[in-house]
Amino acid sequence: MNFTNLFEMQQQLDERIIATHPELKETDNLPWKILALQVELGECANEWRGFKKWSKNQSARNKDIECHACKGLGEFHNQIFHGAEHVDDTTEICLYCEGTGVQEKNPLLTEYVDCLHFILSIGLELSEEWIIEADYEVYRYVQGARNVENTIEQFLVVNKELTYFSVDYNVIHYVELVSQFLGLGEMLGFTWKQVEQAYLSKNTVNHQRQEQGY
């Protein structure tokens, strides 16, 4: 898998954000992007729930959540009466979920690709061409030499690599960060095809948010 397309899409989004917020143009944007990634990693762990040993519910929220308004139907069925007489049946699309029946799609995967947005954005700040053109196997190979026992440890390893990078904006630390992050995705049960598709969907949403002044 080649990262080039994802980097290009992320660059288009970053450029749009800067156009909307021109004060970022002459700013060192790495610190807030690193902090944003830390926050997103926390939100990803929160959806995974496996660290919540105090809770009886440690199951990952990794399935689509049905719309609470239409109960997953995507529409409402109404009966019209004139007095006691049944006149007509009507159907209307649920506006809350726009007829999909889904309130939220795979929250865990959504949070993971939110992290990926900032992973890519940080890489673009480094302006290293070979980083942008590196394929999936190159990044994954680095992680393969450092397998850990469980997902909790993998979250900690990703955060550790992010801390190393935050102290020294080093290309080597960035490659380690990406590779460990990909390893985390595999431990969470995601295929790369799933991640790509989810990234494309969320990237579209992020562009829409810029249009709407989010």
Side-chain angles (χ1 to χ4, degrees), residues 32 71 99 129 173 190 197 202 214:
W32 67 262
K71 305 303 181 184
E129 184 175 348
H173 291 323
F190 302 138
Q197 290 176 340
K202 189 57 183 287
Y214 173 79

Side-chain angles (χ1 to χ4, degrees), residues 163-205:
T163 299
Y164 288 159
F165 178 79
S166 69
V167 174
D168 177 12
Y169 301 157
N170 187 291
V171 171
I172 295 176
H173 291 323
Y174 177 75
V175 173
E176 290 280 359
L177 170 63
V178 176
S179 61
Q180 297 293 352
F181 178 73
L182 294 179
L184 174 64
E186 292 179 2
M187 295 186 79
L188 293 176
F190 302 138
T191 65
W192 182 243
K193 184 176 181 179
Q194 282 180 298
V195 173
E196 279 188 310
Q197 290 176 340
Y199 176 86
L200 295 177
S201 296
K202 189 57 183 287
N203 189 270
T204 299
V205 170

Side-chain angles (χ1 to χ4, degrees), residues 30-86:
L30 272 172
W32 67 262
K33 290 183 179 183
I34 291 170
L35 178 58
L37 178 54
Q38 289 174 331
V39 172
E40 295 296 347
L41 282 168
E43 293 180 358
C44 183
N46 198 48
E47 297 295 348
W48 172 62
R49 298 188 63 85
F51 70 95
K52 299 189 177 187
K53 303 304 182 183
W54 62 88
S55 173
K56 292 184 179 180
N57 180 11
Q58 298 176 32
S59 299
R61 296 178 70 224
N62 57 358
K63 294 180 173 59
D64 293 353
I65 298 175
E66 74 173 26
C67 176
H68 72 279
C70 65
K71 305 303 181 184
L73 297 176
E75 58 188 16
F76 297 101
H77 300 285
N78 303 312
Q79 291 184 325
I80 301 175
F81 290 86
H82 182 68
E85 182 182 356
H86 177 238

